[in-house]
Amino acid sequence: MTGTDALPAYNFAYLDEQTKRMIRRAILKAIAIPGYQVPFASREMPMPYGWGTGGVQVTASVLGPDDVLKVIDQGADDTTNAVSIRAFFAKVADVATTTKTTEATIIQTRHRIPETPLEAGQILVYQVPIPEPLRFLEPRETETRVMHGLEEYGLMHVKLYEDIAQHGHIATTYAYPVKVEDRYVMDPSPVPKFDNPKMHCSPALQLFGAGREKRIYALPPFTDVVSLDFEDHPFAIQRFEAHCALCDARNVYLDEVVTDDRGGRMFVCSDTDHCETRRTEGHRGTGLPQTEGGETASTSREAAE
Amino acid sequence: MYVAVKGGEAAINNAHRLMADRRRGDRNVPGLTIEQIAGQLALAVDRVMAEGSLYDPDLAAMAVRQARGDLIEAIFLLRAYRTTLPRFNNSTPIDTATMRIERRVSATYKDIPGGQLLGPTFDYTHRLIDPAMTEDGPVEPGHRRPVESDACAPRVTDILNGEGLIEPDVFSNAEPSDLTREPTEYPVDRDLRLQALARGDEGFLLALGYSTQRGYGRTHPFVGEIRIGMVDVEIDMPELGFAVTVGSVRVTECQMVSQFKGSAGVKPRFTRGYGLVFGHSERKAMAMSLVDRALRADEFDEQRLAPAQDEEFVLEHCDNVQSTGFVEHLKLPHYVDFQAELDLLRQLHEDTTTATIDDDQAPLSEAAQ
């Protein structure tokens, strides 16, 4: 094998059309049964398992030439893996990319849901490591599928109850289980429970891809998504006392940035687009230099388009 | 401060550039050629083909070079290419009885029709690092047998089968399952298990096979036969009405003869474990045959107690591309979830100081995902 004639050429968005059809069928089935994990013949992708192969396959299958793609990891557009996946689609599909939540038609995410509410017509694609919410209670797929079939979710409630008995709180802070349309218990992917309420009745289509585990599931627009809880221990999201040090946002999810080795901390928006938008609107946090119109180094980013 | 925790496109490009530099190493030393890797690191190339499940020595050698000798990385490269290839046909089952044998040994008989043939093996070398390996000295060519036209080397299992002492081969023309094209649903059939094992990580299967020998799912194995050599790959041509040879591949086959079983209507017979691997890889083929036999526990009414007998456990964890991906993804940023855990932990600390609970148990921290 020598020369370039034998070197591979790739289809639009990498996957061949037959594979896309197979994945779209799985997506349609997932939309028809919200919260149900549809097995699909996950392909080996040119990035490692755990880096978002499920999300990438879902995105590749729903992506069209006119779409505008946004990719975030930990809420940020410029984390290494988000940069890498965005560059992948820019290369293999030549689609427009953006960092603006409002401009995107497809948003692939790992671990966060954007702060800006999504709109009808947008698709949010989640990267999912372990799609089975019952997996850490029962390691066997053969068992958990039966449990879902019989709607046998007592074990999950026992687990949450044991948390309360031991710690006084439900000790699950991310990948907090939800019940979909009062039927399937679903793993919301490892988003902080702060983001769970955003899944409920979202006008956007939410698709979940787990490549290594070969599962796709979905929340069609305006689906009921309820975080599991008890009457006397109602579900509550994280509350931050701090405001964002850059844009002064409150009631958003914040990253804690260690600023020195003497306990210095500052809190900044996890959602970089949200933070940037607010700063262009004139909001200023306490962490910015208090100079007139001073753009700090931290706000200069490469344009991704 | 804020910038320091973010990565960027420039950082990735620079990292790739540095990696390419390190891969090449000292520019005063000639670069490795594909021929050198395929010819002189042939067993590494074989492993990459086997676990990459794509038979292409040149491509595998390229992958080994690109991966700087990291074989799992090379396997990954090959897999990510293989997945894009169209499937246009299934070959007919290869017939290892007609193999052009390079090595063939049986542990169950002193001698067998066709003879024992050591072939190229490390088995009886003394593991002394050879000073000659510092340079490229002359190497004598190996002795070759005269080419026999009708060399007959029947499989040992066929010899046993002739006496009815071993369970027969199950002949099937059914289309084989393919775990790379269909989602796996448990329980699975043996064909799919064998596919998973053939692609499975050599180290993982080696440890599992070893565990069966140490009592975790014991099967009393004997190496009926190991054979290594080239076999023809044929494809049925409906237009022609006969099969056409499209090429040949080197494979290692291991037939493990295991503990006998009988039942009310059936006389006791030896059972089989089967291993078949691309290239020259006895260790993998033997480990595979041990694990294959262990996974057949249900067929023989054996209790499934050991890890090697647990189909879901073995199949879900034997793939090194999957395993390495999920283990290594832990180095990706997880700070959003970690923040949530920090938050809870602080809240629990506050609770204990305000409510003087004498429970000092740390909260259950869930593994990062």
Side-chain angles (χ1 to χ4, degrees), chain A residues 79-129:
Chain A
T79 38
T80 41
N81 199 40
V83 169
S84 166
I85 291 172
R86 191 168 53 238
F88 174 74
F89 281 114
K91 180 175 173 183
V92 299
D94 194 27
V95 290
T97 61
T98 183
T99 59
K100 295 257 172 279
T101 301
T102 48
E103 285 173 9
T105 56
I106 299 173
I107 303 172
Q108 180 168 333
T109 180
R110 176 170 173 263
H111 292 198
R112 273 314 309 276
I113 299 174
E115 305 288 0
T116 312
L118 300 179
E119 289 166 7
Q122 289 185 305
I123 301 177
L124 185 59
V125 178
Y126 296 79
Q127 301 173 202
V128 182

Side-chain angles (χ1 to χ4, degrees), chain A residues 140, chain B residues 294-295 304 306-315:
Chain A
R140 270 169 217 291
Chain B
L295 286 175
R304 287 206 285 166
Q309 296 168 315
D310 187 331
E311 174 176 284
E312 226 183 294
F313 177 81
V314 174
L315 264 57

Side-chain angles (χ1 to χ4, degrees), chain A residues 143-218:
Chain A
E143 292 293 326
T144 52
R145 283 190 86 76
V146 172
M147 290 163 76
H148 282 294
L150 300 177
E151 212 175 335
E152 178 59 67
Y153 296 129
L155 206 55
M156 182 62 91
H157 282 102
V158 170
K159 192 259 176 199
L160 298 176
Y161 169 74
E162 282 178 350
D163 277 1
I164 294 170
Q166 270 190 299
H167 311 299
H169 297 277
I170 291 174
T172 301
T173 57
Y174 60 90
Y176 189 103
V178 295
K179 198 160 195 187
V180 178
E181 286 290 332
D182 206 27
R183 177 57 181 85
Y184 284 100
V185 165
M186 186 192 94
D187 184 311
S189 90
V191 297
K193 66 178 180 176
F194 181 89
D195 285 338
N196 277 19
K198 295 181 189 150
M199 293 187 172
H200 176 62
C201 286
S202 170
L205 170 63
Q206 303 175 75
L207 302 175
F208 299 76
R212 190 176 38 77
E213 299 279 338
K214 303 181 169 66
R215 295 289 184 275
I216 285 172
Y217 51 103

Side-chain angles (χ1 to χ4, degrees), chain A residues 1 14 41 43-44 47 49 74 78 110 136 140-142 159 166-167 169 173-174 190 238 253 255-256, chain B residues 7 58 79-80 83 181 199 310 312 325 333 335-337 339-341 346-347 351 359 363 366-367 369:
Chain A
M1 212 218 72
Y14 178 78
R43 297 295 191 253
E44 270 150 329
M47 59 275 290
Y49 289 111
Q74 313 294 301
D78 58 356
R110 176 170 173 263
F136 297 109
R140 270 169 217 291
E141 181 66 18
T142 38
K159 192 259 176 199
Q166 270 190 299
H167 311 299
H169 297 277
T173 57
Y174 60 90
Q238 288 101 344
Y253 199 82
D255 293 340
E256 180 173 336
Chain B
D58 287 341
R79 289 262 191 100
T83 192
R181 296 281 130 166
R199 291 158 55 90
D310 187 331
E312 226 183 294
Y335 54 79
V336 161
D337 292 345
Q339 186 68 52
E341 295 284 271
R346 284 177 184 143
Q347 195 185 348
D351 290 355
D359 183 2
E366 276 163 44
Q369 301 195 334

Side-chain angles (χ1 to χ4, degrees), chain B residues 267-323:
Chain B
K267 287 182 189 165
R269 297 184 298 199
F270 285 117
T271 57
R272 298 166 185 248
Y274 187 68
L276 185 77
V277 182
F278 277 154
H280 182 149
S281 182
E282 256 164 76
R283 185 186 301 124
K284 167 80 184 274
M286 293 175 74
M288 175 176 168
S289 64
L290 288 172
V291 177
D292 169 50
R293 175 61 186 80
L295 286 175
R296 299 179 65 203
D298 284 355
E299 286 180 54
F300 306 116
D301 291 325
E302 295 162 345
Q303 268 194 300
R304 287 206 285 166
L305 298 171
Q309 296 168 315
D310 187 331
E311 174 176 284
E312 226 183 294
F313 177 81
V314 174
L315 264 57
E316 286 297 312
H317 303 113
C318 69
D319 191 293
N320 53 25
V321 177
Q322 288 181 0
S323 307

